[in-house]
Amino acid sequence: MNLEALKLALAASPDNIPLLLMVAKLHEDQFELLDARNCLDRVVQLQSDHPEALLGIARLIDMAGETSEAVVRLDALCAMKPDFAAAWLLRARIALDEKEAQAARAYYDKAVALDRSVADDELLAAILKAGGGKRSAMTANGPIEIDDDDDNDDDDPLFTGMDAVTARELDLEFRVKADIRFEDVGGMDKVKEDIRMKIIHPLKNPELFAAYGKKPGGGVLLYGPPGCGKTLLARATAGEINASFFSIGLHHVLDMYIGESEQKLHKIFELARKAAPSVLFFDEIDALAADRRDMRQSSGRGIINQFLDELDGSRSQNDGVLILGATNAPWHVDGAFMRPGRFDRLVFVPPPDGPAREEIARIHARGKPLVDFDPAQIAKKSEGFSGADLKAVFDLATEAALTEAMKKGALVPVGGKMLLNACKDVKPSTRKWFESAKNYALYANQSGFYDDVLIYLGLKK
Ligand SMILES: Nc1ncnc2c1ncn2[C@@H]1O[C@H](COP(=O)(O)OP(=O)(O)OP(=O)(O)O)[C@@H](O)[C@H]1O
Ligand SMILES: [Mg+2]
């Protein structure tokens, strides 16, 4: 990301809050704390209660060593916006630095309860190591038990002997339930076609590909706004193929001991190679493959270098191992991952268009007691909605029906009206993503990676 280009953009549009925040972040990354502070102060001038800016200021103050002032400001921020997970997470970090492991754990749990996506397995590991509680904890991929005396011995038919032990030891969900298929994912025809070409056909017809001198391999990285079906589509891919599908989350890889994470990552790749043909799916890959320049800790760099090494198959062959990744922050993924042979296909998963929203509404409606259900009308009233937003519409309408049913003491079906009303209450969640994506696409679009975003926004043909 080019700071100079962003500064130029900022000169042209000095009150652009997303831009100010991005420039602040870049300054912070380079430890230009004063410059970062100036940008954030400007944001607060423009909008006095801007939570991200206030949080950023508290973090800068903490970095400058004024911990108690940082805590006071954080307290105020948490009081003003108690559901702001990132603020609680910073409190957890500061508490850990202050050697208050129990308090750190409480703040950490609070943050993750508010928003699972802030889960930070490295921080959690550090808190646990410092003595912050032993019970189960929440990671980015769901709850995990911390003290696992591993005695479940269910034998797995896919792997025998050593492999079964390794798979269990790594706690991999390699048999992702093939319970959903492409037909359960609405819209996305182009993305599905990309996955067919790059993953499904090569697995099904290896000879054909060989005849054209092509080896199946390389990787596909799905990116796009949250809630638009990236994870869902990956799961559906598992349902479309007859091959081992390994779903890897951060907690499978990160280990609290330096050097162990690299080993784990290596074991995961080895397992996939033995099981070939296989698909390795890395969800929320930005967390594992974060830009090395963003990292202050050298341990993170080790994982990335290992990851690159494994992708290149420099130690062993990756034939028949296909890699799928998903992220909603591709700009945080280290550029080295995008080189040929690695994630060489970047696939944009846009918000669903009208017909896709209609299809998604039909999918969400399956098996529900509905009357006057008009998917076309819902599609019309849900401009800018993600698939997850549409799911929220159904959840809200179902709640409304339940409330009425309880009042009446009789079953009330979910009505078309309830659904349309719910459309008014749900706010489209994809716009915010496009605000940042647009800046990256305009000012950091190396090799045209984000052209699809610009085309989607109508800024490029
Ligand atoms: N195309 C779709 N068809 C049907 N349901 C969808 C679709 N897109 C999203 N949904 C619904 O929204 C939920 C969230 O989608 P998913 O987790 O796949 O989003 P994501 O793109 O991975 O988001 P994130 O970037 O936040 O991880 C799904 O479980 C599903 O219920
Ligand atoms: Mg996801």
Short mmCIF file of all heavy atoms in Angstrom, two decimals, residues 227 229-232 281 283-284 326 328, ligand 2:
data_model
loop_
_atom_site.label_atom_id
_atom_site.label_comp_id
_atom_site.label_asym_id
_atom_site.label_seq_id
_atom_site.Cartn_x
_atom_site.Cartn_y
_atom_site.Cartn_z
N GLY A 227 -20.47 -11.75 4.73
CA GLY A 227 -21.84 -12.26 4.68
C GLY A 227 -22.36 -12.57 3.29
O GLY A 227 -23.55 -12.80 3.10
N GLY A 229 -21.36 -15.11 1.35
CA GLY A 229 -21.37 -16.53 0.98
C GLY A 229 -20.02 -17.16 0.66
O GLY A 229 -19.99 -18.23 0.07
N LYS A 230 -18.91 -16.54 1.06
CA LYS A 230 -17.61 -17.15 0.75
C LYS A 230 -17.44 -18.48 1.49
O LYS A 230 -17.11 -19.50 0.88
CB LYS A 230 -16.47 -16.19 1.13
CG LYS A 230 -16.48 -14.91 0.33
CD LYS A 230 -15.34 -13.98 0.72
CE LYS A 230 -15.45 -13.43 2.13
NZ LYS A 230 -16.61 -12.56 2.37
N THR A 231 -17.67 -18.45 2.80
CA THR A 231 -17.51 -19.66 3.59
C THR A 231 -18.53 -20.71 3.15
O THR A 231 -18.22 -21.90 3.01
CB THR A 231 -17.67 -19.34 5.09
OG1 THR A 231 -16.71 -18.35 5.43
CG2 THR A 231 -17.45 -20.57 5.94
N LEU A 232 -19.76 -20.24 2.90
CA LEU A 232 -20.82 -21.15 2.46
C LEU A 232 -20.43 -21.84 1.15
O LEU A 232 -20.58 -23.06 0.99
CB LEU A 232 -22.10 -20.32 2.27
CG LEU A 232 -23.39 -21.08 2.05
CD1 LEU A 232 -23.80 -21.77 3.34
CD2 LEU A 232 -24.51 -20.15 1.58
N PHE A 281 -8.78 -25.89 2.53
CA PHE A 281 -9.49 -24.62 2.58
C PHE A 281 -9.05 -23.80 3.79
O PHE A 281 -9.16 -24.24 4.93
CB PHE A 281 -11.01 -24.86 2.63
CG PHE A 281 -11.82 -23.63 2.93
CD1 PHE A 281 -11.67 -22.48 2.16
CD2 PHE A 281 -12.74 -23.60 3.97
CE1 PHE A 281 -12.40 -21.34 2.42
CE2 PHE A 281 -13.48 -22.45 4.25
CZ PHE A 281 -13.31 -21.32 3.47
N ASP A 283 -9.94 -20.57 5.75
CA ASP A 283 -10.92 -19.49 5.90
C ASP A 283 -10.25 -18.33 6.62
O ASP A 283 -9.34 -18.53 7.41
CB ASP A 283 -12.14 -19.99 6.68
CG ASP A 283 -13.39 -19.18 6.34
OD1 ASP A 283 -13.26 -18.20 5.57
OD2 ASP A 283 -14.47 -19.53 6.83
N GLU A 284 -10.74 -17.11 6.34
CA GLU A 284 -10.20 -15.90 6.97
C GLU A 284 -8.69 -15.91 6.89
O GLU A 284 -7.98 -15.75 7.89
CB GLU A 284 -10.68 -15.79 8.41
CG GLU A 284 -12.10 -16.35 8.53
CD GLU A 284 -13.04 -15.54 9.36
OE1 GLU A 284 -12.60 -15.02 10.37
OE2 GLU A 284 -14.21 -15.42 8.96
N ALA A 326 -10.31 -17.86 1.68
CA ALA A 326 -11.37 -16.85 1.70
C ALA A 326 -10.96 -15.73 2.65
O ALA A 326 -10.33 -15.97 3.67
CB ALA A 326 -12.70 -17.46 2.15
N ASN A 328 -12.22 -11.34 3.77
CA ASN A 328 -12.86 -10.09 3.39
C ASN A 328 -11.89 -8.93 3.50
O ASN A 328 -12.27 -7.78 3.38
CB ASN A 328 -14.17 -9.85 4.18
CG ASN A 328 -13.96 -9.90 5.67
OD1 ASN A 328 -12.92 -9.50 6.16
ND2 ASN A 328 -14.95 -10.40 6.39
MG MG B 2 -16.55 -16.43 6.04
#
